[in-house]
Amino acid sequence: MLRLQMAELLTKAKELGDESVADVAQRTGISRSTLHRLAAGSKEPSLATLWTLRDAYGVGLDTLVYDDPETTRGAAVPRRRPAPDPVGRRRGSG
Protein backbone atom coordinates (compact mmCIF):
# COMPACT_ATOMS: atom_id res chain seq x y z
CA MET A 1 0.00 0.00 0.00
CA LEU A 2 1.28 3.43 -0.88
CA ARG A 3 1.37 5.95 1.95
CA LEU A 4 1.53 9.72 1.76
CA GLN A 5 4.74 11.25 3.15
CA MET A 6 2.84 13.86 5.15
CA ALA A 7 5.95 15.22 6.89
CA GLU A 8 7.60 15.91 3.52
CA LEU A 9 4.42 17.49 2.19
CA LEU A 10 3.99 19.77 5.20
CA THR A 11 7.65 20.81 5.05
CA LYS A 12 7.21 21.91 1.45
CA ALA A 13 3.84 23.50 2.26
CA LYS A 14 5.42 25.59 5.03
CA GLU A 15 8.03 26.86 2.59
CA LEU A 16 5.12 28.29 0.58
CA GLY A 17 3.34 29.72 3.64
CA ASP A 18 0.83 26.92 4.26
CA GLU A 19 1.04 26.20 7.98
CA SER A 20 -1.71 23.60 8.43
CA VAL A 21 -3.67 20.82 6.78
CA ALA A 22 -6.46 23.36 6.33
CA ASP A 23 -4.06 25.54 4.31
CA VAL A 24 -3.08 22.54 2.17
CA ALA A 25 -6.76 21.78 1.61
CA GLN A 26 -7.40 25.39 0.62
CA ARG A 27 -4.51 25.44 -1.88
CA THR A 28 -5.23 22.03 -3.43
CA GLY A 29 -8.98 21.58 -3.21
CA ILE A 30 -8.46 18.25 -1.43
CA SER A 31 -10.73 18.00 1.59
CA ARG A 32 -9.23 18.16 5.08
CA SER A 33 -10.82 14.83 5.97
CA THR A 34 -9.15 13.18 2.97
CA LEU A 35 -5.80 14.71 3.92
CA HIS A 36 -6.20 13.48 7.51
CA ARG A 37 -7.07 9.95 6.32
CA LEU A 38 -4.05 9.98 4.01
CA ALA A 39 -1.81 11.16 6.87
CA ALA A 40 -3.16 8.44 9.17
CA GLY A 41 -2.60 5.79 6.52
CA SER A 42 -6.22 4.69 6.48
CA LYS A 43 -6.57 5.78 2.85
CA GLU A 44 -4.23 5.16 -0.07
CA PRO A 45 -3.61 8.28 -2.18
CA SER A 46 -5.11 8.21 -5.66
CA LEU A 47 -3.04 9.21 -8.65
CA ALA A 48 -5.24 12.29 -9.10
CA THR A 49 -4.55 13.36 -5.50
CA LEU A 50 -0.81 12.85 -5.94
CA TRP A 51 -0.80 14.87 -9.18
CA THR A 52 -2.71 17.68 -7.46
CA LEU A 53 -0.20 17.78 -4.59
CA ARG A 54 2.71 17.58 -6.99
CA ASP A 55 1.42 20.52 -9.01
CA ALA A 56 0.57 22.61 -5.95
CA TYR A 57 3.93 22.17 -4.22
CA GLY A 58 6.35 21.34 -7.02
CA VAL A 59 7.55 18.06 -5.56
CA GLY A 60 8.18 14.74 -7.26
CA LEU A 61 5.77 11.87 -6.83
CA ASP A 62 8.57 9.81 -5.28
CA THR A 63 8.88 12.49 -2.58
CA LEU A 64 5.16 12.30 -1.78
CA VAL A 65 4.73 8.55 -1.30
CA TYR A 66 6.41 5.49 0.09
CA ASP A 67 5.55 1.81 -0.05
CA ASP A 68 4.57 0.60 3.41
CA PRO A 69 6.00 -2.93 3.84
CA GLU A 70 3.67 -3.63 6.78
CA THR A 71 0.62 -3.44 4.50
CA THR A 72 2.15 -5.21 1.50
CA ARG A 73 3.71 -8.13 3.35
CA GLY A 74 0.61 -10.35 2.97
CA ALA A 75 0.00 -9.28 -0.62
CA ALA A 76 2.58 -11.58 -2.17
CA VAL A 77 1.55 -13.51 -5.24
CA PRO A 78 0.60 -17.02 -4.18
CA ARG A 79 2.65 -19.89 -5.58
CA ARG A 80 0.98 -22.24 -7.98
CA ARG A 81 0.21 -25.66 -6.65
CA PRO A 82 1.67 -28.56 -8.58
CA ALA A 83 -0.76 -30.27 -10.91
CA PRO A 84 -2.33 -33.41 -9.43
CA ASP A 85 -0.90 -36.73 -10.57
CA PRO A 86 -2.89 -38.41 -13.34
CA VAL A 87 -5.27 -41.09 -12.14
CA GLY A 88 -3.62 -44.44 -11.65
CA ARG A 89 -0.06 -43.12 -11.47
CA ARG A 90 1.94 -42.83 -8.33
CA ARG A 91 5.05 -40.82 -7.85
CA GLY A 92 8.18 -42.90 -7.84
CA SER A 93 6.63 -45.86 -9.63
CA GLY A 94 8.03 -45.99 -13.03
Side-chain angles (χ1 to χ4, degrees):
M1 175 178 202
L2 292 179
R3 297 281 179 107
L4 183 65
Q5 292 263 30
M6 198 61 159
E8 294 290 331
L9 176 63
L10 289 176
T11 298
K12 186 63 176 178
K14 287 181 182 184
E15 289 175 12
L16 297 176
D18 294 343
E19 296 293 324
S20 66
V21 173
D23 293 335
V24 173
Q26 175 95 26
R27 181 183 294 266
T28 62
I30 300 168
S31 73
R32 286 185 296 173
S33 63
T34 296
L35 290 168
H36 283 292
R37 283 184 276 150
L38 290 169
S42 62
K43 178 177 175 62
E44 189 171 26
S46 70
L47 188 55
T49 297
L50 293 173
W51 280 96
T52 299
L53 293 168
R54 181 199 71 140
D55 290 345
Y57 294 105
V59 293
L61 295 179
D62 58 334
T63 301
L64 290 173
V65 295
Y66 68 98
D67 190 17
D68 184 0
E70 291 298 316
T71 59
T72 56
R73 199 175 283 170
V77 176
R79 292 185 179 188
R80 292 185 63 184
R81 293 182 184 173
D85 289 334
V87 177
R89 294 221 36 181
R90 292 186 179 170
R91 289 187 181 185
S93 62

Coordinates of all heavy atoms in Angstrom, one line a residue:
M1 N 0.8 -1.2 0.0 CA 0.0 0.0 0.0 C 0.9 1.2 0.0 O 1.8 1.3 0.8 CB -0.9 0.0 1.2 CG -1.7 1.2 1.4 SD -2.8 1.1 2.9 CE -4.0 2.2 2.5
L2 N 0.5 2.2 -0.9 CA 1.3 3.4 -0.9 C 0.8 4.3 0.2 O -0.4 4.4 0.5 CB 1.1 4.1 -2.2 CG 1.7 3.5 -3.4 CD1 1.4 4.3 -4.7 CD2 3.2 3.3 -3.2
R3 N 1.7 5.0 0.9 CA 1.4 5.9 2.0 C 1.9 7.3 1.6 O 2.9 7.5 0.9 CB 2.0 5.5 3.3 CG 1.6 4.2 3.8 CD 0.2 4.3 4.5 NE -0.3 3.1 5.0 CZ -0.3 2.8 6.3 NH1 0.1 3.6 7.2 NH2 -0.8 1.6 6.6
L4 N 1.1 8.3 2.0 CA 1.5 9.7 1.8 C 2.6 10.1 2.8 O 2.5 9.9 4.0 CB 0.3 10.6 1.9 CG 0.6 12.1 1.6 CD1 0.9 12.3 0.2 CD2 -0.7 12.9 1.9
Q5 N 3.7 10.7 2.3 CA 4.7 11.3 3.1 C 4.3 12.6 3.7 O 4.7 13.6 3.1 CB 6.0 11.4 2.3 CG 6.6 10.1 1.9 CD 7.7 9.7 2.8 OE1 7.7 10.0 4.0 NE2 8.7 9.0 2.3
M6 N 3.4 12.6 4.7 CA 2.8 13.9 5.1 C 3.9 14.8 5.7 O 3.8 16.0 5.5 CB 1.8 13.6 6.2 CG 0.9 14.7 6.4 SD 0.0 15.1 4.9 CE -1.4 15.9 5.6
A7 N 4.9 14.3 6.4 CA 5.9 15.2 6.9 C 6.6 16.0 5.8 O 6.9 17.2 5.9 CB 7.0 14.4 7.7
E8 N 7.0 15.3 4.7 CA 7.6 15.9 3.5 C 6.7 16.9 2.9 O 7.1 18.0 2.5 CB 8.0 14.9 2.5 CG 9.0 13.9 2.9 CD 10.4 14.5 3.0 OE1 10.7 15.5 2.3 OE2 11.2 14.0 3.8
L9 N 5.4 16.6 2.8 CA 4.4 17.5 2.2 C 4.3 18.8 3.0 O 4.3 19.9 2.5 CB 3.1 16.8 2.0 CG 1.9 17.7 1.5 CD1 2.2 18.2 0.1 CD2 0.6 16.9 1.6
L10 N 4.2 18.6 4.3 CA 4.0 19.8 5.2 C 5.2 20.6 5.2 O 5.1 21.9 5.3 CB 3.6 19.3 6.6 CG 2.1 18.8 6.7 CD1 1.9 18.3 8.1 CD2 1.1 19.8 6.3
T11 N 6.4 20.0 5.1 CA 7.7 20.8 5.1 C 7.6 21.7 3.8 O 7.9 22.9 3.9 CB 8.9 19.9 5.0 OG1 8.9 19.1 6.2 CG2 10.2 20.7 4.9
K12 N 7.3 21.1 2.7 CA 7.2 21.9 1.4 C 6.1 23.0 1.5 O 6.3 24.1 1.1 CB 7.0 21.0 0.3 CG 7.1 21.7 -1.1 CD 8.4 22.2 -1.3 CE 8.5 22.8 -2.7 NZ 9.8 23.5 -2.9
A13 N 5.0 22.6 2.1 CA 3.8 23.5 2.3 C 4.3 24.7 3.1 O 3.9 25.9 2.8 CB 2.7 22.8 2.9
K14 N 5.0 24.5 4.2 CA 5.4 25.6 5.0 C 6.3 26.5 4.3 O 6.3 27.7 4.5 CB 6.0 25.0 6.3 CG 5.0 24.5 7.2 CD 5.6 23.9 8.5 CE 4.5 23.4 9.4 NZ 4.9 22.9 10.7
E15 N 7.2 26.0 3.4 CA 8.0 26.9 2.6 C 7.2 27.8 1.7 O 7.7 28.9 1.4 CB 8.9 26.0 1.7 CG 10.0 25.2 2.4 CD 10.7 24.3 1.4 OE1 10.6 24.4 0.2 OE2 11.5 23.5 2.0
L16 N 6.0 27.4 1.4 CA 5.1 28.3 0.6 C 4.1 29.0 1.4 O 3.2 29.6 0.9 CB 4.4 27.5 -0.5 CG 5.4 26.8 -1.5 CD1 4.6 25.9 -2.5 CD2 6.2 27.9 -2.3
G17 N 4.2 29.0 2.8 CA 3.3 29.7 3.6 C 2.1 29.0 4.1 O 1.3 29.6 4.8
D18 N 2.0 27.7 3.8 CA 0.8 26.9 4.3 C 1.2 26.2 5.6 O 2.1 25.4 5.6 CB 0.4 25.9 3.2 CG -0.1 26.5 1.9 OD1 -0.5 27.7 2.0 OD2 -0.2 25.8 0.9
E19 N 0.6 26.7 6.7 CA 1.0 26.2 8.0 C 0.3 25.0 8.5 O 0.6 24.4 9.5 CB 0.9 27.3 9.0 CG 1.8 28.5 8.7 CD 3.3 28.2 8.9 OE1 3.6 27.4 9.8 OE2 4.1 28.7 8.1
S20 N -0.9 24.7 7.9 CA -1.7 23.6 8.4 C -2.3 22.8 7.3 O -2.3 23.1 6.1 CB -2.8 24.2 9.3 OG -3.7 24.9 8.4
V21 N -2.9 21.7 7.7 CA -3.7 20.8 6.8 C -4.8 21.6 6.1 O -5.1 21.5 4.9 CB -4.2 19.5 7.5 CG1 -5.1 18.7 6.6 CG2 -3.0 18.7 7.9
A22 N -5.4 22.5 6.9 CA -6.5 23.4 6.3 C -5.9 24.2 5.2 O -6.6 24.4 4.2 CB -7.1 24.2 7.4
D23 N -4.7 24.7 5.4 CA -4.1 25.5 4.3 C -3.8 24.7 3.1 O -4.0 25.1 1.9 CB -2.8 26.2 4.8 CG -3.0 27.2 5.9 OD1 -4.1 27.8 6.0 OD2 -2.0 27.4 6.7
V24 N -3.3 23.5 3.3 CA -3.1 22.5 2.2 C -4.4 22.3 1.4 O -4.5 22.3 0.2 CB -2.4 21.2 2.6 CG1 -2.3 20.2 1.5 CG2 -1.1 21.5 3.3
A25 N -5.5 22.0 2.2 CA -6.8 21.8 1.6 C -7.2 23.0 0.8 O -7.7 22.8 -0.3 CB -7.8 21.5 2.7
Q26 N -7.0 24.2 1.3 CA -7.4 25.4 0.6 C -6.6 25.5 -0.7 O -7.2 25.8 -1.7 CB -7.1 26.6 1.5 CG -7.4 27.9 0.8 CD -8.7 28.5 1.1 OE1 -9.3 28.1 2.2 NE2 -9.2 29.3 0.3
R27 N -5.3 25.3 -0.7 CA -4.5 25.4 -1.9 C -4.8 24.4 -2.9 O -4.8 24.7 -4.1 CB -3.0 25.4 -1.5 CG -2.1 25.5 -2.8 CD -0.6 25.4 -2.4 NE -0.2 26.5 -1.5 CZ 0.4 27.6 -1.9 NH1 0.6 27.8 -3.2 NH2 0.8 28.5 -1.1
T28 N -5.1 23.2 -2.5 CA -5.2 22.0 -3.4 C -6.7 21.7 -3.8 O -6.9 21.0 -4.8 CB -4.6 20.8 -2.9 OG1 -5.3 20.4 -1.7 CG2 -3.1 21.0 -2.6
G29 N -7.6 22.0 -3.0 CA -9.0 21.6 -3.2 C -9.3 20.2 -2.7 O -10.4 19.6 -2.9
I30 N -8.3 19.6 -2.0 CA -8.5 18.2 -1.4 C -9.0 18.5 0.0 O -8.5 19.3 0.7 CB -7.1 17.5 -1.3 CG1 -6.5 17.3 -2.8 CG2 -7.3 16.2 -0.6 CD1 -5.1 16.8 -2.8
S31 N -10.1 17.7 0.3 CA -10.7 18.0 1.6 C -9.8 17.7 2.8 O -8.9 16.8 2.7 CB -12.0 17.2 1.7 OG -11.7 15.8 1.9
R32 N -10.0 18.4 3.9 CA -9.2 18.2 5.1 C -9.4 16.7 5.6 O -8.4 16.1 6.0 CB -9.6 19.1 6.2 CG -9.1 20.5 5.9 CD -9.4 21.5 7.0 NE -10.8 21.6 7.2 CZ -11.4 22.2 8.2 NH1 -10.7 22.8 9.1 NH2 -12.7 22.3 8.2
S33 N -10.6 16.2 5.5 CA -10.8 14.8 6.0 C -10.0 13.8 5.1 O -9.4 12.9 5.7 CB -12.3 14.5 6.0 OG -12.8 14.5 4.7
T34 N -10.0 14.1 3.8 CA -9.1 13.2 3.0 C -7.7 13.3 3.3 O -7.0 12.3 3.5 CB -9.4 13.5 1.5 OG1 -10.7 13.2 1.1 CG2 -8.4 12.7 0.6
L35 N -7.2 14.5 3.5 CA -5.8 14.7 3.9 C -5.5 14.0 5.3 O -4.4 13.4 5.4 CB -5.5 16.2 4.0 CG -5.4 16.9 2.6 CD1 -5.4 18.4 2.8 CD2 -4.3 16.4 1.8
H36 N -6.4 14.1 6.2 CA -6.2 13.5 7.5 C -6.2 12.0 7.4 O -5.3 11.3 8.0 CB -7.3 13.9 8.5 CG -7.0 15.3 9.1 ND1 -6.0 15.6 9.9 CD2 -7.7 16.4 8.9 CE1 -6.0 16.9 10.2 NE2 -7.1 17.4 9.6
R37 N -7.1 11.4 6.5 CA -7.1 9.9 6.3 C -5.8 9.5 5.6 O -5.3 8.4 5.9 CB -8.3 9.5 5.5 CG -9.5 9.5 6.4 CD -10.8 9.0 5.7 NE -11.3 10.1 5.0 CZ -11.9 10.1 3.8 NH1 -12.2 9.0 3.2 NH2 -12.4 11.2 3.3
L38 N -5.3 10.3 4.7 CA -4.0 10.0 4.0 C -2.9 10.0 5.0 O -2.0 9.1 5.0 CB -3.8 11.0 2.9 CG -4.7 10.8 1.7 CD1 -4.5 12.0 0.7 CD2 -4.5 9.5 0.9
A39 N -2.9 11.0 5.9 CA -1.8 11.2 6.9 C -1.8 10.0 7.9 O -0.8 9.5 8.3 CB -1.9 12.5 7.6
A40 N -3.0 9.5 8.2 CA -3.2 8.4 9.2 C -2.9 7.1 8.5 O -2.7 6.1 9.2 CB -4.6 8.4 9.8
G41 N -2.8 7.0 7.2 CA -2.6 5.8 6.5 C -3.8 4.9 6.4 O -3.7 3.8 6.0
S42 N -5.0 5.5 6.6 CA -6.2 4.7 6.5 C -6.8 4.8 5.1 O -7.7 4.1 4.7 CB -7.3 5.1 7.5 OG -7.6 6.5 7.3
K43 N -6.2 5.6 4.2 CA -6.6 5.8 2.9 C -5.3 5.8 2.0 O -4.4 6.5 2.3 CB -7.4 7.1 2.7 CG -7.8 7.4 1.3 CD -8.7 8.6 1.3 CE -9.1 9.0 -0.1 NZ -9.9 8.1 -0.8
E44 N -5.3 5.1 0.9 CA -4.2 5.2 -0.1 C -4.5 6.3 -1.0 O -5.6 6.5 -1.5 CB -4.2 3.9 -0.8 CG -2.9 3.7 -1.7 CD -2.8 2.3 -2.3 OE1 -3.8 1.6 -2.5 OE2 -1.7 1.9 -2.5
P45 N -3.4 7.1 -1.3 CA -3.6 8.3 -2.2 C -3.9 7.8 -3.6 O -3.2 6.9 -4.1 CB -2.3 9.0 -2.1 CG -1.3 8.0 -1.6 CD -2.0 7.0 -0.8
S46 N -4.8 8.5 -4.2 CA -5.1 8.2 -5.7 C -4.1 8.9 -6.5 O -3.4 9.9 -6.0 CB -6.5 8.7 -6.0 OG -6.6 10.1 -6.0
L47 N -4.0 8.5 -7.7 CA -3.0 9.2 -8.6 C -3.5 10.7 -8.8 O -2.6 11.6 -8.9 CB -3.0 8.5 -10.0 CG -1.9 8.9 -11.0 CD1 -0.5 8.9 -10.3 CD2 -1.9 8.1 -12.2
A48 N -4.7 10.9 -8.9 CA -5.2 12.3 -9.1 C -4.8 13.2 -7.9 O -4.4 14.3 -8.1 CB -6.7 12.3 -9.3
T49 N -4.9 12.6 -6.7 CA -4.6 13.4 -5.5 C -3.1 13.7 -5.5 O -2.6 14.8 -5.2 CB -4.9 12.6 -4.2 OG1 -6.3 12.4 -4.2 CG2 -4.4 13.3 -3.0
L50 N -2.3 12.7 -5.9 CA -0.8 12.9 -5.9 C -0.4 13.9 -7.0 O 0.4 14.7 -6.7 CB -0.1 11.5 -6.2 CG -0.2 10.5 -5.1 CD1 0.4 9.2 -5.6 CD2 0.4 11.0 -3.8
W51 N -1.1 13.9 -8.1 CA -0.8 14.9 -9.2 C -1.2 16.3 -8.7 O -0.5 17.2 -9.0 CB -1.6 14.6 -10.5 CG -0.9 13.5 -11.3 CD1 -1.2 12.2 -11.3 CD2 0.2 13.7 -12.2 NE1 -0.4 11.5 -12.1 CE2 0.5 12.4 -12.7 CE3 0.9 14.8 -12.6 CZ2 1.5 12.2 -13.7 CZ3 1.9 14.5 -13.6 CH2 2.2 13.3 -14.1
T52 N -2.3 16.4 -8.0 CA -2.7 17.7 -7.5 C -1.7 18.2 -6.5 O -1.3 19.4 -6.5 CB -4.1 17.6 -6.8 OG1 -5.0 17.1 -7.8 CG2 -4.5 18.9 -6.2
L53 N -1.2 17.4 -5.6 CA -0.2 17.8 -4.6 C 1.1 18.1 -5.3 O 1.8 19.1 -4.9 CB 0.0 16.7 -3.5 CG -1.2 16.4 -2.6 CD1 -1.0 15.1 -1.8 CD2 -1.5 17.6 -1.7
R54 N 1.5 17.3 -6.2 CA 2.7 17.6 -7.0 C 2.7 18.9 -7.7 O 3.6 19.7 -7.6 CB 2.9 16.5 -8.0 CG 4.2 16.7 -8.9 CD 4.1 15.9 -10.1 NE 3.1 16.5 -11.0 CZ 3.2 16.7 -12.3 NH1 4.3 16.2 -12.9 NH2 2.3 17.3 -13.0
D55 N 1.5 19.2 -8.3 CA 1.4 20.5 -9.0 C 1.4 21.7 -8.0 O 1.9 22.7 -8.3 CB 0.2 20.5 -9.9 CG 0.3 19.6 -11.1 OD1 1.4 19.2 -11.4 OD2 -0.8 19.3 -11.7
A56 N 0.7 21.5 -6.9 CA 0.6 22.6 -6.0 C 1.9 23.0 -5.3 O 2.1 24.1 -4.9 CB -0.5 22.3 -4.9
Y57 N 2.7 21.9 -5.0 CA 3.9 22.2 -4.2 C 5.2 21.9 -5.0 O 6.3 22.1 -4.4 CB 3.9 21.3 -2.9 CG 2.8 21.8 -2.0 CD1 1.6 21.1 -1.9 CD2 2.9 23.0 -1.4 CE1 0.5 21.6 -1.1 CE2 1.8 23.5 -0.6 CZ 0.7 22.8 -0.5 OH -0.3 23.3 0.3
G58 N 5.1 21.5 -6.2 CA 6.3 21.3 -7.0 C 7.3 20.3 -6.5 O 8.5 20.4 -6.5
V59 N 6.7 19.2 -6.0 CA 7.5 18.1 -5.6 C 7.3 16.8 -6.4 O 6.3 16.7 -7.1 CB 7.2 17.7 -4.1 CG1 7.6 18.8 -3.2 CG2 5.8 17.4 -3.9
G60 N 8.3 16.0 -6.5 CA 8.2 14.7 -7.3 C 7.3 13.7 -6.6 O 7.1 13.7 -5.4
L61 N 6.7 12.9 -7.4 CA 5.8 11.9 -6.8 C 6.5 11.0 -5.9 O 6.0 10.5 -4.9 CB 5.1 11.1 -7.9 CG 4.2 11.8 -8.9 CD1 3.6 10.9 -9.9 CD2 3.0 12.4 -8.1
D62 N 7.8 10.7 -6.2 CA 8.6 9.8 -5.3 C 8.8 10.5 -3.9 O 9.1 9.8 -2.9 CB 9.9 9.4 -5.9 CG 10.7 10.6 -6.3 OD1 10.2 11.7 -6.6 OD2 12.0 10.4 -6.4
T63 N 8.7 11.8 -3.8 CA 8.9 12.5 -2.6 C 7.6 12.4 -1.8 O 7.6 12.4 -0.5 CB 9.2 14.0 -2.8 OG1 10.4 14.1 -3.6 CG2 9.3 14.8 -1.6
L64 N 6.5 12.3 -2.5 CA 5.2 12.3 -1.8 C 4.7 11.0 -1.2 O 3.9 10.9 -0.3 CB 4.1 12.8 -2.8 CG 4.1 14.2 -3.2 CD1 3.1 14.5 -4.2 CD2 3.9 15.1 -1.9
V65 N 5.2 9.9 -1.7 CA 4.7 8.5 -1.3 C 5.9 7.6 -0.9 O 7.0 7.8 -1.4 CB 3.8 7.9 -2.4 CG1 2.6 8.6 -2.6 CG2 4.6 7.7 -3.7
Y66 N 5.5 6.6 -0.2 CA 6.4 5.5 0.1 C 5.6 4.2 0.2 O 4.4 4.3 0.4 CB 7.2 5.7 1.4 CG 6.4 5.6 2.7 CD1 6.4 4.5 3.4 CD2 5.7 6.8 3.1 CE1 5.6 4.5 4.6 CE2 5.0 6.7 4.3 CZ 4.9 5.6 5.0 OH 4.2 5.5 6.2
D67 N 6.2 3.1 -0.1 CA 5.6 1.8 0.0 C 5.7 1.3 1.4 O 6.8 1.0 1.8 CB 6.2 0.9 -1.1 CG 5.4 -0.4 -1.3 OD1 4.2 -0.5 -0.9 OD2 6.0 -1.3 -1.8
D68 N 4.6 1.1 2.0 CA 4.6 0.6 3.4 C 4.7 -0.9 3.4 O 3.7 -1.6 3.1 CB 3.3 1.1 4.1 CG 3.3 0.7 5.6 OD1 4.2 0.1 6.1 OD2 2.3 1.0 6.2
P69 N 5.8 -1.5 3.9 CA 6.0 -2.9 3.8 C 5.1 -3.7 4.8 O 4.8 -4.8 4.6 CB 7.5 -3.1 4.2 CG 7.8 -1.9 4.9 CD 7.0 -0.8 4.4
E70 N 4.6 -3.0 5.8 CA 3.7 -3.6 6.8 C 2.3 -4.0 6.1 O 1.7 -4.9 6.5 CB 3.4 -2.7 8.0 CG 4.6 -2.6 8.9 CD 5.1 -3.9 9.5 OE1 4.2 -4.6 10.0 OE2 6.3 -4.1 9.5
T71 N 1.9 -3.2 5.1 CA 0.6 -3.4 4.5 C 0.8 -4.3 3.2 O -0.2 -4.8 2.7 CB -0.1 -2.1 4.2 OG1 0.7 -1.4 3.3 CG2 -0.4 -1.3 5.4
T72 N 2.0 -4.4 2.7 CA 2.2 -5.2 1.5 C 2.7 -6.6 1.8 O 2.8 -7.4 0.9 CB 3.1 -4.5 0.5 OG1 4.3 -4.2 1.1 CG2 2.4 -3.2 0.0
R73 N 3.1 -6.9 3.0 CA 3.7 -8.1 3.3 C 2.8 -9.3 3.0 O 3.3 -10.3 2.4 CB 4.0 -8.2 4.8 CG 5.0 -9.2 5.2 CD 5.4 -9.1 6.6 NE 6.3 -8.0 6.8 CZ 6.7 -7.5 8.0 NH1 6.2 -8.1 9.1 NH2 7.5 -6.5 8.1
G74 N 1.5 -9.2 3.3 CA 0.6 -10.3 3.0 C 0.1 -10.3 1.5 O -0.7 -11.2 1.2
A75 N 0.5 -9.4 0.7 CA 0.0 -9.3 -0.6 C 0.9 -10.0 -1.7 O 0.7 -9.7 -2.8 CB -0.1 -7.8 -1.0
A76 N 1.7 -10.9 -1.2 CA 2.6 -11.6 -2.2 C 1.7 -12.5 -3.1 O 0.7 -13.0 -2.7 CB 3.6 -12.4 -1.4
V77 N 2.2 -12.7 -4.3 CA 1.5 -13.5 -5.2 C 1.7 -15.0 -4.8 O 2.8 -15.4 -4.5 CB 2.2 -13.3 -6.6 CG1 1.5 -14.3 -7.6 CG2 2.1 -11.9 -7.1
P78 N 0.5 -15.6 -4.7 CA 0.6 -17.0 -4.2 C 1.3 -17.9 -5.2 O 1.2 -17.7 -6.4 CB -0.9 -17.4 -4.0 CG -1.6 -16.5 -4.9 CD -0.8 -15.2 -4.9
R79 N 2.0 -18.9 -4.7 CA 2.6 -19.9 -5.6 C 1.6 -20.8 -6.1 O 0.6 -21.2 -5.5 CB 3.7 -20.7 -4.8 CG 4.8 -19.9 -4.4 CD 5.9 -20.7 -3.7 NE 7.0 -19.9 -3.4 CZ 8.1 -20.4 -2.9 NH1 8.3 -21.7 -2.8 NH2 9.1 -19.6 -2.6
R80 N 1.9 -21.3 -7.4 CA 1.0 -22.2 -8.0 C 1.2 -23.6 -7.3 O 2.3 -24.0 -7.1 CB 1.3 -22.3 -9.5 CG 0.9 -21.0 -10.2 CD 1.0 -21.2 -11.6 NE 0.1 -22.2 -12.1 CZ 0.1 -22.6 -13.4 NH1 0.9 -22.1 -14.3 NH2 -0.8 -23.5 -13.7
R81 N 0.1 -24.3 -7.2 CA 0.2 -25.7 -6.6 C 0.6 -26.6 -7.8 O 0.2 -26.3 -8.9 CB -1.1 -26.1 -6.1 CG -1.5 -25.4 -4.9 CD -2.8 -25.9 -4.3 NE -3.3 -25.1 -3.2 CZ -4.4 -25.2 -2.6 NH1 -5.3 -26.1 -3.1 NH2 -4.7 -24.5 -1.6
P82 N 1.3 -27.6 -7.5 CA 1.7 -28.6 -8.6 C 0.4 -29.3 -9.1 O -0.6 -29.5 -8.3 CB 2.6 -29.5 -7.9 CG 2.5 -29.4 -6.5 CD 1.9 -28.0 -6.2
A83 N 0.4 -29.6 -10.3 CA -0.8 -30.3 -10.9 C -0.9 -31.6 -10.3 O 0.1 -32.3 -9.9 CB -0.6 -30.4 -12.4
P84 N -2.1 -32.1 -10.0 CA -2.3 -33.4 -9.4 C -1.8 -34.5 -10.4 O -1.8 -34.3 -11.6 CB -3.8 -33.5 -9.2 CG -4.4 -32.5 -10.1 CD -3.4 -31.4 -10.3
D85 N -1.4 -35.6 -9.8 CA -0.9 -36.7 -10.6 C -2.1 -37.3 -11.3 O -3.2 -37.3 -10.9 CB -0.3 -37.8 -9.7 CG 1.0 -37.4 -9.1 OD1 1.7 -36.6 -9.7 OD2 1.4 -37.9 -8.0
P86 N -1.8 -37.8 -12.6 CA -2.9 -38.4 -13.3 C -3.4 -39.6 -12.6 O -2.7 -40.3 -11.8 CB -2.2 -38.8 -14.6 CG -0.9 -38.1 -14.7 CD -0.6 -37.7 -13.3
V87 N -4.6 -40.0 -12.8 CA -5.3 -41.1 -12.1 C -4.5 -42.4 -12.5 O -4.2 -42.6 -13.6 CB -6.8 -41.2 -12.6 CG1 -7.4 -42.4 -12.0 CG2 -7.5 -40.0 -12.2
G88 N -4.3 -43.2 -11.4 CA -3.6 -44.4 -11.6 C -2.1 -44.4 -11.6 O -1.5 -45.4 -11.7
R89 N -1.5 -43.2 -11.5 CA -0.1 -43.1 -11.5 C 0.4 -42.7 -10.1 O -0.2 -41.8 -9.5 CB 0.4 -42.1 -12.5 CG 0.2 -42.6 -13.9 CD 1.2 -42.3 -14.8 NE 2.6 -42.5 -14.4 CZ 3.6 -42.3 -15.2 NH1 3.4 -41.9 -16.4 NH2 4.8 -42.4 -14.7
R90 N 1.4 -43.3 -9.6 CA 1.9 -42.8 -8.3 C 3.3 -42.3 -8.6 O 4.0 -42.8 -9.4 CB 2.0 -44.0 -7.4 CG 0.6 -44.5 -6.9 CD 0.8 -45.5 -5.9 NE -0.5 -45.9 -5.4 CZ -0.7 -47.0 -4.6 NH1 0.4 -47.7 -4.2 NH2 -1.9 -47.3 -4.3
R91 N 3.7 -41.3 -7.7 CA 5.0 -40.8 -7.9 C 6.0 -41.9 -7.5 O 5.8 -42.6 -6.5 CB 5.2 -39.6 -6.9 CG 4.5 -38.4 -7.4 CD 4.8 -37.2 -6.6 NE 4.1 -36.1 -7.1 CZ 4.2 -34.9 -6.7 NH1 5.0 -34.6 -5.8 NH2 3.4 -33.9 -7.3
G92 N 7.1 -42.0 -8.2 CA 8.2 -42.9 -7.8 C 8.0 -44.3 -8.4 O 8.9 -45.1 -8.4
S93 N 6.8 -44.6 -9.0 CA 6.6 -45.9 -9.6 C 6.7 -45.7 -11.1 O 5.8 -45.0 -11.7 CB 5.3 -46.5 -9.2 OG 4.2 -45.7 -9.6
G94 N 7.6 -46.2 -11.7 CA 8.0 -46.0 -13.0 C 7.4 -46.2 -14.2 O 7.2 -46.0 -15.2

